Amino acid sequence: MARRKARRLLPLTRKRLRWMGVALCSTCLVLGLSLGQRPAHSNLPTANQLTINAPAAPRQRLANNPAQLVEQGKAFYQGGQYTAAADAWSQAVQGYKGQPLNQAIVLNQLSLAQQELGQWLKAQDSLRQSLEIVGDPPAPNNLSIYAQALNAQGSLNLSQGDPKNALDTWGKTAEIYAQLGDEIGRIGSLINQAQAQQVMGLYLQSRKTLEKVTAELDQQPNPEIRATGYRSLGNVLRLVGDLEEAERSLLLSLQNAEATDAPQEVSMTQLSLGNTARARKSFDLAIDYYQKASQSPIPSTQQQARLNLLSVLIEKQDWPQAQQLWPQIETEMSGQPPSRRNIYSKVNLVKSLVKLNQESPSKTPSIPDIANITAKAVQQSYDIDDPRAQAYALGNLGHLYELDEQWSEARKLTEQALFIAQANNASEISYQWQWQLGRIMDAQKQTDQATSAYQGAFQTLEYLRKDLVATNPEAQFSFRESVEPVYRELVDLLLRGDNPSQENLKQARAVMESLQLTELDNFFRSACLDGQIISIEDIDQQSAAVVYPILLKDRIELITSLPQQDDLQHQSIPIPQAEVEETIQRFRDEIGKTYTHIETKELGEVVYNWLIQPLQADLENSQADTLVFVLDGALRNLPLAALYDGENYLIEKYALALAPGMQLINTEPLQGRELQVIAAGISEARGSFPALKFVKTELDKISRLVTSEVLLNRDFTSTALQEQIQSLPYPIVHLATHGKFSSEAEKTILLAWDKEINVTQLNELLRSSEQVRPEPIELLVLSACETAAGDDRAALGLAGVSVQAGARSTLASLWSLDDQSTASIIGEFYDQLVQADTSKAKALQKAQVAMIKNPDFRHPAHWSAFVLVGNWL
């Protein structure tokens, strides 16, 4: 990287901060720049470049006429100047004394501005006053105003974490809009209901609501309504991860927008299509849409499109195009009036410029210039008196000081940003400044204070977990950059030292459990797990030991819960994360080659010595016969059964199971129930999928061993499978077909005769039985599936299938085995499962050991891919 002449940020004195409009808080303990490579000290600015000479701008001059005040308020609100909008509408309410219905209309608008400012009590009071005027229930002539109030009330309910009341309120709103003949209002209310259902984890209901919206839009004659409705629908579908359907809806929106001769509608849809293409990693297509949207007649759409385009160009490492674009964006921003939207845009530009400076500094603004943009954003946030914008901009300015290792100044700014965020209910901002404060304190070796700050960030994330999964991608949200590190770095702090306390071990375990849940929520883009969570302390481990291998940058941490013991065991293995990941990848590559027996054993022994050997004595003393692993990161792709101690494979010593998080495991045994199976499979070639000639042999053996209902080839359609699951309360569902697990829900698929079924569709199909059958599916078997090659988080798809399907256990393979091996091990598994008092994990263990003893199948390539996820009993 090129280095510039040394120029540093001047320490921020209280006098300088007051000049910037910042009143420092010394007692408080916080969306920031990505933590990549630190810029060199030589890149940072002098104090003069950050000094803001203009005092805070006066409040906007407001009209005297209430009708003009209402229009001013609308203009302020649409421009992101929410404080000015609230001021204008507050005065309009007073100006409309003697005109109660006009007051009620303005009070509804005032509530929306107050919600943007985090003023929940004021927002609720404005709605209360409006409802008192129109009546509850209202007079027929007041229905339209009443619907507006209910719409704002639903928004307030959702913002305050009460999605059930939001859902009920928007249901009433939809009915009123239908009564009024307001199709846009009614369709909008249905889309709002779908969002509330998502937050509640009611995925099936949300899907049905969105399907209803689609059906009604298809019948809608007005192209403008169709364009708006399809765009709103597409945006919601993108947020919940259904990218294919999102694109379909948005293309329909674009088609209708182009028919309305409304260029602003066209550009708004093009922006949404760009965001969807980007979410699908189709960067060239995203760039094309963003370039078209950047010609919008609406300045805010134009600006957002260019910001998103710059971000994609940087992600693609297209440095020449990025270097050409950023000056245009910066020039346009400099001439715009202050608003929250423009402040956020400035900070998002800063994020992109810092990345660009780190990777391609030659034609990028210097860090002093970047810091000056941030300081102007801070000033503007005070000009418009917007606390959330203040917290957002101040914290990002603090991050620049953090990068420069000026810890005192970084801490002051971060604490101030956090104080403002917390005082204004901005939890989605607060957690990031709590995290930033923890990093600053950790860098100064203030471990206790750093841990406290990280714990605050973790607790805020727990509160936010439902909202995080629906965070708008336009806000540049990234789970792996902005959420996952908080959990890992907190665990790092808790487990430092030679002998962490039991309290720290239990908290570290709880943090990793929460990370597992949050990753799955992020995978599904839906907070769908809450109803399944149980207390770890209530889980009966019997003779199973539960092992948490935690992958940190410089080491592996092992936390183990032994059967019948309250205290957790702990070991730390000083192996860098990069070495662990490289070794696991080599192990996976070698194990798929049946001629590399020696190399496979050698690599298996390396990993055994990391994960098992440190626990060996404790495991033997506890007499555990089953090991349950809650795997982390790249370890999820590890075939544990093939770990080797120099003489035996791990599966020869212990039955093994995986858990996507012990809080999701219900440890009720399968024994005592008659084994009955719904078995479906495809043996013939379908499209690009080759024939699986041993599938018929596999299904025939199952039907000989247990009562079975078999669907083969043309009989195995998604509809036929659903009908069998609904009509037959069999505890086992066995699917012998092609499939792939991916880190993206829409790319995790199974093949039926009529179509590919993704994980969310499989969830709908399997869970459709819950209202007609008394017991859940005990075991879901997926043979002939594999994890996506080159996807280091693909095993999330396997865990996702297990959890989302509602099955207590899932048996599946990490990679595609040859057809004969699969049929052999599956047949042996069922042979063992029908034996009395044999757990699912032990049935799989015995099947794999039998394969080891068979000269034709003894190489781990034939048997170690199969894993049991979930309940092992």
Side-chain angles (χ1 to χ4, degrees), residues 805-821:
R808 286 184 173 162
S809 311
T810 300
L811 177 63
S813 56
L814 291 173
W815 61 85
S816 181
L817 302 177
D818 72 77
D819 197 16
Q820 186 176 6
S821 298

Side-chain angles (χ1 to χ4, degrees), residues 814-834:
L814 291 173
W815 61 85
S816 181
L817 302 177
D818 72 77
D819 197 16
Q820 186 176 6
S821 298
T822 299
S824 297
I825 196 168
I826 289 296
E828 187 66 33
F829 171 74
Y830 278 99
D831 273 336
Q832 299 298 330
L833 195 63
V834 297

Side-chain angles (χ1 to χ4, degrees), residues 272-328:
S272 292
L273 277 164
N275 295 333
T276 303
R278 183 178 184 179
R280 299 187 75 174
K281 309 296 184 186
S282 301
F283 295 133
D284 290 338
L285 183 59
I287 288 170
D288 182 57
Y289 280 127
Y290 287 146
Q291 287 173 333
K292 290 176 180 175
S294 68
Q295 306 305 312
S296 172
I298 304 174
S300 59
T301 303
Q302 183 183 110
Q303 180 173 287
Q304 189 63 60
R306 287 176 179 159
L307 280 167
N308 290 4
L309 174 58
L310 177 62
S311 180
V312 171
L313 290 172
I314 292 171
E315 194 168 352
K316 277 196 68 182
Q317 299 186 346
D318 188 342
W319 311 127
Q321 290 295 324
Q323 298 287 9
Q324 184 178 348
L325 179 61
W326 74 258
Q328 180 183 358

